[in-house]
C-alpha cells in the first residue's frame, strides 16, 4: 500500500511538473531576474530543449543596438539567458551595423546539414524601412554563435508560380507606378502584380517574416512583400540558406504583416495582422490545403475581451507543444521598447476552426514536444 501511494505520488509530481503556468502580458523574468528581451521571436525545439530567439530591444529605441538574443528552457517557463546569438557590428556600412533594424528572427534546424539556420528581417542603418531585406545566418549549435551569410531581396528575376500571363501583360502595370494609392484602379493593379513587377529585376521586398519546416523537410520563407501589401511564400533550398526560386503571392493587396503559420491535420493555417505600425489591430486567419494554396481568408480567430485588437498584441509565431498550439504575440511599447510584453495563448479548435481565447493565466502541458 505504502509503495502504491509513493508510486502514485511520483506519477502525480511528474504530471504536475509537465504543467507550467503562463501569464500573458506580465513581466517575464529570465534566470538573471531580467525581463526576457527576445521580441518578435520564435522558438526552436531541439533534442528536448526549447530555444527562444528574438529582437533585443533597448529602453528608448527599436533600432538594433545589441542583436538577436537567445534563451533556452526545458519547460517553456524558466528561461536561461544564452546570450547574443547574432550580434550587431561596429563596422561602418556593414549590413548589421549597430543602429540597423533586425526584426522577427526565426531559427530552423536542417537535419541534412546538421546546421541551425536563422532568418530575419533586416533594414540598413539610417535607411528607415526602405531596404526591405531578408538576412540569413548559420550556426553549428542551436544557441549560436551564428555566422552571418548575407542579406538581400527575394528571387530576383523570377516570376511567382501563381502569376498568370506573360511578362508583356505584367509590363502594362507599369503605367500605374506613380498612380494615386488606394484608388480602385490602383488596388486592382496591386492585385495584378504592380509591385511584384516593379521589383522583378532586383528581387522582392521582404519585411515581417517567419520560416516554416514542413513534414517532408522542405522549408519556406513567409514574408510581407510588395510594400507590405501582399504576402509571399518562397521555398528554401535543401540546406535552408537560400531561396529555391519557387514562390507564390498570398492575399494580394490585403496588407498583411506578422505571419505565423502552423499545420494541423493536413491543413495549413496562417495567422497575420493588418499594417498599423506598432499599434495593435485585428488578427486575420487564412487556411490552405497545401503550402502553395489556394489560401482562403476566414474571420478573426481571437475571442473575448480586446479580441478585435489581438488582445493588444501582434502575432509572431505559433509553437506546437504536445497537443496544443501556442499563439505567441508581442504587445509593443514603442516609447519603452524593452518593456514590450509577451502574449502566449492556446489555440483551440471550434467547429474545425482555430480560435484564440484570452486567459489572464493558463496551464500549458509541456510533456510532449511535437516539433523536435
Ligand atoms: C509592424 C511590424 O510587424 C513590426 O515588426 C515592426 O516592423 C513595426 N511594424 C514597425 O513599425
Amino acid at each position: 500500500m505504502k509503495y502504491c501511494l509513493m508510486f502514485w505520488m511520483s506519477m502525480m509530481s511528474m504530471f504536475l511538473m509537465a504543467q507550467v503556468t503562463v501569464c500573458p502580458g506580465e513581466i517575464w523574468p529570465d534566470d538573471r531576474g531580467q525581463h526576457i528581451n527576445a521580441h518578435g521571436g520564435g522558438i526552436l525545439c531541439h533534442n528536448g530543449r526549447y530555444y527562444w530567439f528574438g529582437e533585443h530591444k533597448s529602453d528608448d529605441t527599436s533600432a538594433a543596438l545589441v542583436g538577436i538574443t537567445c534563451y533556452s528552457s526545458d519547460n517553456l517557463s524558466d528561461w536561461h539567458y544564452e546570450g547574443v546569438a547574432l550580434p550587431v557590428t561596429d563596422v561602418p556600412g556593414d549590413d548589421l551595423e549597430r543602429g540597423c533594424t533586425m526584426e522577427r528572427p526565426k531559427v530552423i534546424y536542417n537535419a541534412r546539414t546538421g546546421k541551425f539556420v536563422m532568418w530575419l528581417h533586416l533594414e540598413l542603418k539610417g535607411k528607415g524601412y526602405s531596404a526591405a531585406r531578408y538576412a540569413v545566418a548559420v550556426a553549428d549549435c542551436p544557441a549560436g554563435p551564428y555566422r552571418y551569410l548575407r542579406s538581400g531581396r527575394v528571387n530576383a528575376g523570377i516570376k511567382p508560380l501563381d502569376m498568370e500571363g506573360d511578362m508583356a501583360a505584367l509590363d502594362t502595370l507599369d503605367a500605374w507606378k506613380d498612380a494615386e494609392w488606394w484608388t480602385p484602379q490602383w488596388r486592382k493593379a496591386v492585385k495584378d502584380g504592380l509591385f511584384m513587377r516593379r521589383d522583378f529585376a532586383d528581387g522582392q521586398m521582404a519585411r515581417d517574416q517567419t520560416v516554416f519546416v514542413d513534414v517532408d523537410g522542405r522549408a519556406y520563407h513567409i514574408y510581407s512583400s510588395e510594400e507590405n501589401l501582399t504576402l509571399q511564400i518562397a521555398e528554401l533550398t535543401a540546406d535552408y540558406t537560400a531561396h529555391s526560386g519557387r514562390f507564390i503571392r498570398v492575399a494580394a493587396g490585403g496588407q498583411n504583416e506578422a505571419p505565423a503559420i502552423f499545420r494541423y491535420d493536413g491543413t495549413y493555417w496562417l495567422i497575420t495582422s493588418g499594417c498599423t505600425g506598432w499599434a495593435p489591430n485585428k488578427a486575420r486567419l487564412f487556411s490552405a490545403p497545401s503550402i502553395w494554396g489556394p489560401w482562403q481568408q476566414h474571420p478573426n480567430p481571437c475571442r473575448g475581451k480586446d479580441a478585435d485588437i489581438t488582445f493588444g498584441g501582434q502575432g509572431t509565431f505559433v509553437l506546437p507543444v504536445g497537443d496544443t498550439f501556442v499563439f505567441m504575440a508581442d504587445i509593443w511599447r514603442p516609447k519603452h521598447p524593452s518593456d514590450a510584453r509577451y502574449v502566449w495563448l492556446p489555440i483551440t479548435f471550434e467547429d474545425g476552426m482555430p480560435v484564440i481565447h484570452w486567459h489572464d493565466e493558463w496551464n500549458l502541458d509541456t510533456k510532449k514536444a511535437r516539433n523536435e
Side-chain angles (χ1 to χ4, degrees):
M1 180 66 185
K2 188 172 133 199
Y3 291 110
C4 186
L5 188 65
M6 278 168 65
F7 171 78
W8 282 113
M9 279 172 68
S10 76
M11 289 299 284
M12 269 309 271
S13 73
M14 270 170 67
F15 176 74
L16 289 173
M17 272 172 64
Q19 299 259 341
V20 297
T21 303
V22 180
C23 303
E26 300 291 312
I27 287 283
W28 197 338
D30 65 9
D31 60 344
R32 304 166 303 168
Q34 297 178 17
H35 181 46
I36 291 170
N37 201 330
H39 309 277
I43 291 182
L44 167 78
C45 184
H46 187 72
N47 288 342
R49 196 160 175 86
Y50 296 95
Y51 296 86
W52 178 351
F53 300 87
E55 307 158 20
H56 177 280
K57 290 206 179 278
S58 305
D59 293 344
D60 52 10
T61 174
S62 282
L65 300 185
V66 171
I68 302 304
T69 48
C70 177
Y71 295 78
S72 71
S73 172
D74 289 331
N75 64 8
L76 289 169
S77 175
D78 304 310
W79 291 93
H80 167 64
Y81 179 60
E82 293 277 358
V84 183
L86 180 65
V88 295
T89 74
D90 283 310
V91 181
D94 191 61
D95 284 4
L96 303 187
E97 183 181 357
R98 198 182 305 275
C100 67
T101 296
M102 297 164 84
E103 289 183 345
R104 300 184 174 271
K106 308 288 178 299
V107 171
I108 48 181
Y109 174 64
N110 188 297
R112 286 198 200 185
T113 61
K115 303 274 189 215
F116 299 84
V117 186
M118 178 188 291
W119 285 78
L120 62 139
H121 165 205
L122 177 73
E123 296 292 347
L124 303 175
K125 183 177 179 181
K127 302 241 162 88
Y129 276 81
S130 63
R133 293 188 187 184
Y134 73 85
V136 61
V138 290
D140 298 322
C141 302
Y146 282 78
R147 183 167 58 86
Y148 179 66
L149 293 183
R150 68 180 179 283
S151 71
R153 293 273 180 100
V154 181
N155 284 328
I158 302 174
K159 221 168 61 155
L161 298 173
D162 57 345
M163 215 66 209
E164 305 206 337
D166 55 19
M167 283 312 272
L170 287 170
D171 285 347
T172 63
L173 294 171
D174 205 41
W176 295 99
K177 180 160 88 327
D178 300 317
E180 194 186 332
W181 282 41
W182 312 119
T183 60
Q185 299 90 333
W186 176 89
R187 281 181 190 277
K188 178 168 185 316
V190 167
K191 273 193 169 189
D192 291 347
L194 169 62
F195 293 111
M196 188 287 299
R197 178 67 188 94
R198 183 198 67 184
D199 294 338
F200 179 79
D202 295 331
Q204 303 296 315
M205 300 174 105
R207 293 201 183 112
D208 279 16
Q209 63 113 53
T210 191
V211 280
F212 171 70
V213 180
D214 208 344
V215 283
D216 61 3
R218 287 179 208 268
Y220 301 88
H221 180 208
I222 303 161
Y223 50 96
S224 298
S225 193
E226 305 178 29
E227 301 288 356
N228 284 4
L229 292 157
T230 296
L231 289 166
Q232 295 184 355
I233 300 181
E235 186 188 60
L236 300 181
T237 50
D239 67 359
Y240 301 169
T241 67
H243 297 99
S244 73
R246 288 157 56 80
F247 75 109
I248 57 166
R249 306 171 72 226
V250 175
Q255 285 190 282
N256 287 278
E257 281 192 324
I261 188 170
F262 65 104
R263 183 187 147 130
Y264 178 64
D265 219 7
T267 297
Y268 297 78
W269 297 97
L270 183 63
I271 300 172
T272 68
S273 73
C275 297
T276 51
W278 300 114
N281 56 53
K282 195 190 276 187
R284 291 100 178 268
L285 175 71
F286 298 84
S287 71
S290 151
I291 194 83
W292 297 125
W295 287 92
Q296 182 195 351
Q297 187 164 358
H298 307 282
N300 175 16
C302 299
R303 300 282 184 278
K305 184 174 152 263
D306 289 335
D308 55 359
I309 51 165
T310 319
F311 317 112
Q314 186 182 28
T316 183
F317 196 68
V318 173
L319 176 67
V321 184
D323 52 11
T324 305
F325 290 92
V326 181
F327 174 66
M328 294 168 51
D330 298 277
I331 298 180
W332 302 116
R333 295 265 155 85
K335 291 200 175 119
H336 187 176
S338 59
D339 189 38
R341 304 297 172 86
Y342 308 102
V343 170
W344 287 19
L345 290 166
I347 297 176
T348 50
F349 280 82
E350 290 174 11
D351 298 326
M353 299 294 289
V355 291
I356 306 167
H357 288 269
W358 173 261
H359 299 269
D360 289 334
E361 86 174 39
W362 59 284
N363 289 327
L364 170 60
D365 188 342
T366 59
K367 219 162 172 187
K368 295 169 285 158
R370 207 191 263 266
N371 60 335
E372 286 182 57

